[in-house]
Amino acid sequence: MEKALLSNERNKFHKALFPKLQHIRPGKWHILKLGNQSQIKTSDFAQYEHLAYLNDLTKTNAQLAAVLGNDYMVAPDVIVYRELYEDDELNHLLPIVDKDSAQKADLRAANGGKPILHASISAKWTMRSDRAQNSRTEALNLIRNRKGNLPHIVVVTGEPAPSRLASLALGTGDIDCLYHFALYELMEAVHEYGADDAENLLSTLIDGKRLKDISDLPLDLSV
């Protein structure tokens, strides 16, 4: 219930802000709240459409299913994706594409592809060790199974314990960054409590660009 609430609030937040950044990152953007029960999966996007074929194979081949499992199928909490462009839109200012060029470009609707996944946002109300591991697993699956550009992979949380935040934020290679929905308030509370170790850990995460406030996320996704 808490996770669903956080996902819903993050979805509203991005719907309210990200489309207004067209002057920074133009495009036909959509922000959707998903989850495990959603009919939309990562295989509905250009970088991961091959996973639908792989999923069909495992359904009919028990030996293949035993080897591969189904961990490659990811259903993020919130996604940002980009629609494809028609040729007249691409050629609006000057000729860019025609029937003999750009026949494999993912952004071109005439090539018959799927929308492009721009960002995967995992919402975790708290950061128990198992939830941190789930976020890492989702991130690594997105990294390993893609064909094409890697979407932004971020986690949003309200976890108040710096040590638990560090369990996911420290290190690089899986998620882009961890975002806290009340980072400045958390910093103030830790300082007032006088927990030097916790305050130093927060400073390490922030100075190391591994932990940011939720207000930073829309601009980071515009990169």
Side-chain angles (χ1 to χ4, degrees):
M1 182 66 180
E2 290 178 340
K3 179 180 177 180
L5 177 62
L6 181 59
S7 298
N8 190 48
E9 291 305 312
R10 292 307 101 214
N11 187 44
K12 291 179 181 178
F13 178 78
H14 292 295
K15 279 188 174 181
L17 290 180
F18 191 74
K20 294 180 173 62
L21 300 176
Q22 287 285 319
H23 60 295
I24 298 175
R25 186 66 183 264
K28 299 179 180 179
W29 301 103
H30 295 269
I31 297 95
L32 292 179
K33 174 180 175 291
L34 299 185
N36 291 330
Q37 302 304 316
S38 175
Q39 296 300 310
I40 299 178
K41 305 294 182 183
T42 47
S43 57
D44 292 310
F45 301 98
Q47 305 99 305
Y48 302 97
E49 60 180 324
H50 59 286
L51 297 183
Y53 173 69
L54 187 59
N55 188 54
D56 290 339
L57 287 179
T58 58
K59 287 180 179 178
T60 58
N61 189 318
Q63 290 183 332
L64 189 60
V67 172
L68 297 178
N70 61 357
D71 289 340
Y72 51 83
M73 299 295 286
V74 177
D77 295 309
V78 178
I79 59 168
V80 180
Y81 71 91
R82 186 174 192 171
E83 283 188 24
L84 308 185
Y85 280 78
E86 300 295 340
D87 284 0
D88 58 345
E89 296 175 290
L90 294 171
N91 294 331
H92 176 63
L93 296 178
L94 71 163
I96 294 177
V97 298
D98 55 36
K99 62 181 180 65
D100 298 318
S101 63
Q103 297 182 28
K104 298 297 182 182
D106 288 336
L107 193 60
R108 188 181 183 189
N111 291 336
K114 294 187 176 183
I116 299 171
L117 185 62
H118 180 70
S120 168
I121 303 172
S122 178
K124 306 296 182 186
W125 189 264
T126 57
M127 290 304 306
R128 297 195 315 259
S129 59
D130 58 329
R131 289 180 175 175
Q133 187 58 41
N134 287 345
S135 294
R136 274 208 173 87
T137 300
E138 291 177 7
L140 290 173
N141 284 339
L142 288 170
I143 293 169
R144 292 168 178 167
N145 292 315
R146 79 189 190 278
K147 289 185 177 181
N149 65 296
L150 182 66
H152 289 278
I153 304 173
V154 304
V155 179
V156 176
T157 186
E159 172 59 51
S163 59
R164 290 186 177 180
L165 294 173
S167 70
L168 180 59
L170 281 178
T172 58
D174 37 30
I175 67 168
D176 294 2
C177 191
L178 178 63
Y179 294 83
H180 198 284
F181 72 55
L183 179 60
Y184 302 125
E185 292 80 0
L186 176 61
M187 293 168 60
E188 183 178 349
V190 170
H191 178 71
E192 291 181 356
Y193 188 73
D196 292 341
D197 290 346
E199 191 170 8
N200 290 336
L201 183 55
L202 274 181
S203 296
T204 297
L205 297 176
I206 295 168
D207 294 343
K209 297 183 178 181
R210 301 303 297 147
L211 177 64
K212 297 183 180 182
D213 184 70
I214 186 64
S215 60
D216 296 314
L217 182 53
L219 289 176
D220 285 353
L221 293 185
S222 297
V223 174

